[in-house]
Amino acid sequence: MSESRNAYIDAFPAEAKVVRAAFYSSFLALALGGVFGIIQTLHRTDVFRFIDSTDYYTVLTAHGVFLVISFTIFFLVGIFTWAITTSLDRSVKDIRFTWGWYSLMAIGITLTGVAILAGFTDSIDMSADVLFTFYAPLQGHPLFYIGLVLFIVGTWLAGADWFRTWWAWKQENPDERIPLPTFMVLTTMLMWYIATLGVAASVLLFLLPWSLGLIETVNPLLTRTLFWFFGHPIVYFWLMPAYMMWYIMLPKVSGGKLFSDPLARVVFVLFLILSVPTGIHHQYLDPGIAEGFKFIAMTNTMFLLLPSLLTAFTVVASMEHGARQRGGEGYFGWLKALPWRDPVFTGMALAGLMFAAAGFSGMINAGMNINYLVHNTFWVVGHFHLTVGTAVALTFMAVTYWFLPQVTGKALWNRSVALGQVVLWFLGMTFMSNAMHRGGLLGIPRRTAEPQYDGFEFEASVGSVAELDAQIALGGILLTLSLVLFFANVIGTALNGRSDTLPDNSYAETLSGPEDAPKVLDNLKLWTIIAIILVIFAYTFPLLSIIDRGGLFGPDINPFPVSIETIPMLAMALEGYTTAAVASAGEFAQATLLGVIR
Amino acid sequence: MGQATDTVERTEIGHDEFDPIGTLALIMVYFAILVALWLFMYFVEFLGNDPTVTGAVVPVVGLI
Ligand code: HEM
Ligand SMILES: [Cu+2]
């Protein structure tokens, strides 16, 4: 029986259990997050209000934290464990260690979740309505931070587990190239280690001691900056597993091969080195950070477009390869030859399409002056429901339809429901996100329970606010229905009996393989060092000047002598230097222009 | 899953025969949309609102 079947659970029964546990944890978070999502949607559009507006931030915090911390990251550790074991074709070194980090993550997020949800009741003196960005001056119960620390330490240990497995493999295969899925896992984790230093510093040095009452005050700008040091790269921690799926699963389900293994490696290396030194682009409107530093962050951000465009090309080319192999023809006719009835394919393809749309709103966000137009408006919420809320979430749900049978040994409950589910998500998000973007342009704020004001109307040049609200509520309802279908399939599959006809555990082959990739791409040490250097360049001076101006622990007290005389001088020198450089570039441009005109 | 239920005829296309012309076509369309939206942005940002922080390159970037 088992001989004929070659699913993941057959080759790696012990690991399949961990992956399954991670998936179920992830789905539980998705369910909770979804419930809070629809509550706040109906509340702020004034379609249906049954909670008190003062509880809105508890709902919003739960929605944010459960979805972008636990749903995404639990799913990530599941597929990364699958990727390592499958592509290296070996078990983890010690399955107890693997269960160890999984448990740590589960315990941690439970504590954090309890701290948040306790905010709903007055009978316990506990709350953490700090939103998923949790920087000062918002303060949560210590349990919130402690749980978060445990969760993140869990992910660090997970990374150690994967590195350990790779090292063991390398001993036995010293001359082989790192298999692509493993390469993706390792680069992502290196990026994560660098990124989480920011949040570790912020939580352990400031927020936790502050919430425990050990220190009186903190420097809010410092905790914000440290948060965004981590808050931008976490975006890539959500995206990179989705990218991995687009590179190694999508070509296969399209019926083709990955167009280029070397390009995929280049993309992941670029993410490793460019993800962190860009965080300040979330702080374009923060006073207290010099414009020059913001400009540097913007430049780095624009460079980050490169790996995303490379991905668009490689992934679409791989899909086209599949379509042509299936007989597709013409400039656009090949699109019809793609397997649109397969929920795994369609879900991922629609997710990619949404991501392309998000590319535009992201470019608006990234531009320093255009950002002023949309900063902290509903536009931003529209933007990230396209990125993490669809490109990532819909990809994860779509591949679940392939992974779930692999890790349970049971057939998927219903493929048609699955297809309906991914299409419904796409539709719902089209309504909701489009209206959010438009609302943002009118100036409707995000993070607001009742954005309806007496004696003031948002002016819509096209349509009306009532129409936007209706679309947002409709979109939210479609999304919620989509989630219901998703969970029906997860539960239905879990209740299914064992299946003997599962597809083999495999991932996409390549048209151009690792032998075409320069060896230096696999030099992880080199890329890590470059990444660290860029971070030092981007952050040393902003951090020092924030501390210099506001104090390490806030504006009033200066317990540590941070006044190394040279620091402000250096910072000023750098500022002066960039100013001079840009100014002279400007003069040069002007002179040339005048010359040309004359 | 796609694989198992797929009954479509396959023709093997290797690296050298494959010319991703459709990808090029799609990406051109995407760029055209991006450019159009970018131009449209001018009307939303600069004509639809009072001026925000605008001016020559130098004052925006340099004066810290
Ligand atoms: C049923 C589907 C969903 C609905 C109806 C929904 C609705 C909303 C709404 C209306 C807001 C804005 C609230 C405000 O700013 O006042 C929001 C915020 C947010 N959503 Fe969703 N959402 C859904 C799914 C998702 C998913 C799948 C993710 C990510 C994986 C996500 C991540 C977020 C985040 C991070 C915020 C920002 C929280 C904050 O401002 O602190 N949402 N959501
Ligand atoms: Cu960012």
Side-chain angles (χ1 to χ4, degrees):
Chain A
M1 221 167 62
S2 299
E3 282 99 87
S4 62
R5 204 180 74 170
N6 205 358
Y8 183 69
I9 189 174
D10 303 314
F12 300 102
E15 284 84 353
K17 272 194 194 145
V18 186
V19 176
R20 205 160 65 209
F23 281 169
Y24 288 153
S25 310
S26 158
F27 299 154
L28 179 64
L30 178 61
L32 288 171
V35 170
F36 293 120
I38 189 65
I39 293 176
Q40 74 201 13
T41 304
L42 299 177
H43 190 94
R44 53 168 293 154
T45 53
D46 201 10
V47 171
F48 179 55
R49 286 186 175 155
F50 68 94
I51 56 159
D52 206 77
S53 279
T54 48
D55 282 335
Y56 189 79
Y57 290 98
T58 314
V59 173
L60 190 54
T61 306
H63 179 73
V65 170
F66 287 146
L67 285 171
V68 299
I69 309 271
S70 32
F71 160 57
T72 47
I73 297 182
F74 269 121
F75 200 86
L76 173 146
V77 296
I79 53 176
F80 275 14
T81 304
W82 165 85
I84 287 281
T85 46
T86 300
S87 68
L88 298 176
D89 196 18
R90 67 185 298 142
S91 304
V92 295
K93 288 276 282 183
D94 182 351
I95 196 74
R96 283 168 306 179
F97 184 72
T98 308
W99 279 113
W101 59 250
Y102 165 76
S103 312
L104 200 58
M105 286 174 67
I107 294 168
I109 204 68
T110 308
L111 298 182
T112 300
V114 165
I116 298 171
L117 296 179
F120 283 118
T121 151
D122 293 333
S123 54
I124 323 170
D125 184 24
M126 185 192 277
S127 75
D129 304 335
V130 289
L131 306 176
F132 84 103
T133 41
F134 61 85
Y135 37 61
L138 298 181
Q139 190 188 51
H141 190 274
L143 201 64
F144 175 88
Y145 305 105
I146 293 171
L148 214 56
V149 168
L150 296 182
F151 183 80
I152 287 179
V153 171
T155 64
W156 288 350
L157 297 178
D161 199 9
W162 302 323
F163 265 96
R164 209 155 73 127
T165 311
W166 168 61
W167 279 320
W169 174 87
K170 213 167 94 166
Q171 307 283 290
E172 291 164 26
N173 305 275
D175 299 321
E176 271 191 57
R177 296 302 290 263
I178 309 174
L180 184 60
T182 298
F183 183 83
M184 292 171 160
V185 170
L186 300 182
T187 41
T188 306
M189 290 315 292
L190 288 171
M191 186 278 291
W192 182 243
Y193 284 124
I194 300 175
T196 41
L197 291 180
V199 74
S202 157
V203 169
L204 294 177
L205 299 180
F206 305 111
L207 297 177
L208 183 56
W210 179 51
S211 120
L212 285 169
L214 299 177
I215 53 176
E216 285 286 302
T217 53
V218 294
N219 178 343
L221 185 57
L222 183 57
T223 64
R224 276 171 78 87
T225 307
L226 288 173
F227 176 83
W228 286 119
F229 179 103
F230 151 87
H232 181 72
I234 194 181
V235 165
Y236 290 98
F237 205 52
W238 307 326
L239 269 177
M240 283 156 84
Y243 275 28
M244 174 198 257
M245 294 294 106
W246 296 352
Y247 278 108
I248 70 174
M249 300 304 284
L250 192 55
K252 190 186 74 170
V253 293
S254 314
K257 292 180 178 172
L258 173 60
F259 184 68
S260 166
D261 166 299
L263 268 184
R265 284 178 206 250
V266 168
V267 165
F268 275 70
V269 165
L270 284 173
F271 279 134
L272 164 59
I273 61 183
L274 288 175
S275 289
V276 188
T278 45
I280 290 180
H281 69 203
H282 292 265
Q283 299 176 282
Y284 285 150
L285 242 67
D286 278 19
I289 297 181
E291 298 267 288
F293 298 141
K294 296 177 180 170
F295 188 76
I296 293 173
M298 173 169 82
T299 312
N300 289 344
T301 306
M302 295 302 176
F303 273 110
L304 260 179
L305 282 174
L306 188 65
S308 293
L309 292 177
L310 281 176
T311 299
F313 171 76
T314 320
V315 170
V316 176
S318 312
M319 280 169 34
E320 184 185 353
H321 180 250
R324 302 254 181 240
Q325 293 206 124
R326 296 164 63 97
E329 273 166 19
Y331 282 106
F332 297 105
W334 58 274
L335 289 167
K336 284 185 303 216
L338 289 166
W340 292 105
R341 284 169 180 284
D342 181 353
V344 183
F345 171 81
T346 302
M348 277 198 274
L350 293 178
L353 187 61
M354 280 297 203
F355 196 56
F360 175 71
S361 53
M363 280 159 62
I364 296 289
N365 300 342
M368 241 165 101
N369 53 348
I370 314 172
N371 181 282
Y372 295 160
L373 177 70
V374 295
H375 201 91
N376 268 338
T377 68
F378 225 19
W379 166 286
V380 176
V381 184
H383 167 72
F384 63 65
H385 280 86
L386 293 182
T387 54
V388 65
T390 301
V392 174
L394 186 54
T395 298
F396 285 0
M397 291 189 271
V399 294
T400 296
Y401 298 132
W402 185 82
F403 276 107
L404 214 50
Q406 290 292 319
V407 297
T408 56
K410 300 167 177 178
L412 187 69
W413 176 64
N414 191 315
R415 265 171 71 96
S416 310
V417 169
L419 189 60
Q421 185 267 320
V422 295
V423 173
L424 207 54
W425 188 274
F426 181 80
L427 274 180
M429 205 49 100
T430 306
F431 278 112
M432 187 171 95
S433 156
N434 179 51
M436 284 172 165
H437 277 99
R438 283 176 53 204
L441 289 179
L442 307 183
I444 297 179
R446 66 184 285 202
R447 294 180 160 175
T448 305
E450 300 180 14
Q452 291 84 18
Y453 305 101
D454 279 339
F456 172 80
E457 291 278 330
F458 291 106
E459 277 175 50
S461 43
V462 186
S464 67
V465 173
E467 172 243 0
L468 293 180
D469 278 346
Q471 285 196 40
I472 291 170
L474 172 67
I477 292 169
L478 295 181
L479 289 167
T480 309
L481 284 178
S482 172
L483 279 183
V484 170
L485 297 185
F486 178 74
F487 292 116
N489 235 329
V490 170
I491 295 169
T493 305
L495 297 178
N496 254 347
R498 187 184 189 285
S499 164
D500 288 329
T501 54
L502 295 179
D504 288 354
N505 177 34
S506 68
Y507 55 91
E509 293 170 36
T510 55
L511 273 180
S512 156
E515 62 285 353
D516 298 330
K519 273 246 161 62
V520 63
L521 281 177
D522 287 13
N523 189 340
L524 298 178
K525 274 202 198 98
L526 175 69
W527 304 122
T528 310
I529 291 171
I530 294 181
I532 292 173
I533 292 175
L534 284 181
V535 172
I536 293 175
F537 270 138
Y539 269 104
T540 312
F541 291 119
L543 285 177
L544 289 179
S545 82
I546 289 168
I547 295 172
D548 187 53
R549 214 168 304 170
L552 199 53
F553 292 101
D556 295 321
I557 29 172
N558 241 338
F560 287 132
V562 259
S563 56
I564 308 166
E565 247 84 80
T566 47
I567 291 165
M569 272 168 59
L570 273 174
M572 271 176 47
L574 182 83
E575 287 179 9
Y577 174 75
T578 17
T579 317
V582 176
S584 65
E587 273 160 28
F588 176 72
Q590 223 168 11
T592 344
L593 211 67
L594 287 177
V596 171
I597 293 168
R598 279 194 200 120
Chain B
M1 210 161 59
Q3 245 72 340
T5 48
D6 238 0
T7 47
V8 179
E9 287 280 314
R10 292 280 165 83
T11 39
E12 194 68 34
I13 299 177
H15 182 261
D16 297 333
E17 302 109 71
F18 179 47
D19 182 14
I21 187 80
T23 302
L24 185 69
L26 271 191
I27 288 185
M28 292 322 260
V29 170
Y30 180 54
F31 272 123
I33 296 173
L34 277 190
V35 171
L37 282 174
W38 191 253
L39 295 175
F40 179 59
M41 186 268 305
Y42 173 81
F43 293 94
V44 178
E45 154 76 340
F46 294 100
L47 301 184
N49 288 286
D50 295 334
T52 51
V53 185
T54 56
V57 180
V58 183
V60 172
V61 183
L63 304 181
I64 302 168

